[in-house]
């Protein structure tokens, strides 16, 4: 357990960037959409596997959230590292995974993987042409890592406001946006209130997934 409470011990300044993740499958899997994947999983309960880089990590939670919201039984196979988890799908050891667009889209472009959808709330230019999971048969589904800027809880409101203004101005610069985009992330500059809303929503949503799946981090 962390020795601090984010909402109690820190004050939010702004969201910074969001990593867009993509649900991909091995080309041999006879599906071309999320709806077809769900139908196949329901026809073969426990017959499909998905990889992640760790137990309790972002990919594991994204997979369990998908499993829960889609009402399917797919089996989690944890690996010791990101490269191993992606290689497992490339080699057909597992049928699917959810990873950063920057890591899997090059394989989608070469046909070594099939991209079905992005896990973000909106389509992303980081995965051109792919719909969202939410719009493809799992309404309300959203998963992805968002990074934010925080300061100690007792920081004066005027300082937080000034920091927010400067951070948002910097992030909205064309060069900064392009640098993050090249690294596989989208800029999501925001108000401090938006940070808190997202944190609270994710804590409730993912807390339920973790509890229901009995997930314990490595």
């Amino acid at each position: 357990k962390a020795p601090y409470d984010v909402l109690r011990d820190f004050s939010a300044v702004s969201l910074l960037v969001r990593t867009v993740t993509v649900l991909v499958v091995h080309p041999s899997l006879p599906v071309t959409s999320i709806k077809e994947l769900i139908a196949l999983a329901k026809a073969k309960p426990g017959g499909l596997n998905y990889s992640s880089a760790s137990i309790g990590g972002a990919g594991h939670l994204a997979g369990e959230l998908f499993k829960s919201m889609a009402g399917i039984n797919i089996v989690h196979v944890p690996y010791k590292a990101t490269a191993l988890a992606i290689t497992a799908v490339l080699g057909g050891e597992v049928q699917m995974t959810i990873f950063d667009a920057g890591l899997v889209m090059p394989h989608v472009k070469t046909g070594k993987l099939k991209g079905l959808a992005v896990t973000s709330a909106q389509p992303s230019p980081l995965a051109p042409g792919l719909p969202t999971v939410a719009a493809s048969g799992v309404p309300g589904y959203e998963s992805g890592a968002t990074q934010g800027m925080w300061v100690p809880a007792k920081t004066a409101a005027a300082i937080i406001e000034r920091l927010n203004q400067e951070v948002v101005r910097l992030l909205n610069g064309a060069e900064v946006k392009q640098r993050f985009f090249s690294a596989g992330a989208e800029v999501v500059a925001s108000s401090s209130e938006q940070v808190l809303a997202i944190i609270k929503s994710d804590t409730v949503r993912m807390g339920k997934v973790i509890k229901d799946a009995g997930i314990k981090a490595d």
Side-chain angles (χ1 to χ4, degrees), residues 1-10 217:
K1 187 177 180 180
Y4 57 84
D5 182 314
V6 172
L7 297 178
R8 180 194 67 208
D9 299 332
F10 296 91

Side-chain angles (χ1 to χ4, degrees), residues 51-134:
S51 67
S52 82
S54 64
I55 294 175
H60 184 193
L61 296 182
E64 289 302 316
L65 182 64
F66 177 66
K67 176 178 171 178
S68 172
M69 294 184 70
I72 56 177
N73 176 17
I74 53 177
V75 180
H76 175 232
V77 182
Y79 286 80
K80 297 280 186 189
T82 296
L84 295 175
I86 294 175
T87 300
V89 192
L90 289 168
E93 289 177 29
V94 297
Q95 290 79 45
M96 57 181 283
T97 195
I98 297 172
F99 263 111
D100 297 2
L103 296 174
V104 297
M105 287 307 293
H107 297 302
V108 172
K109 289 174 182 174
T110 60
K112 292 179 180 177
L113 291 175
K114 245 189 306 193
L116 298 188
V118 293
T119 65
S120 48
Q122 303 294 333
S124 171
L126 286 166
L130 292 186
T132 64
V133 172

Side-chain angles (χ1 to χ4, degrees), residues 130-179:
L130 292 186
T132 64
V133 172
S136 305
V138 192
Y141 182 91
E142 182 181 0
S143 178
T146 304
Q147 298 178 357
M149 180 177 179
W150 301 76
V151 292
K154 294 181 180 179
T155 303
I159 293 176
I160 293 175
E161 185 177 351
R162 178 63 187 276
L163 281 171
N164 176 269
Q165 291 172 352
E166 292 300 318
V167 167
V168 170
R169 180 182 62 78
L170 179 68
L171 289 172
N172 281 326
E175 184 179 350
V176 172
K177 281 188 172 183
Q178 184 55 49
R179 280 177 177 265

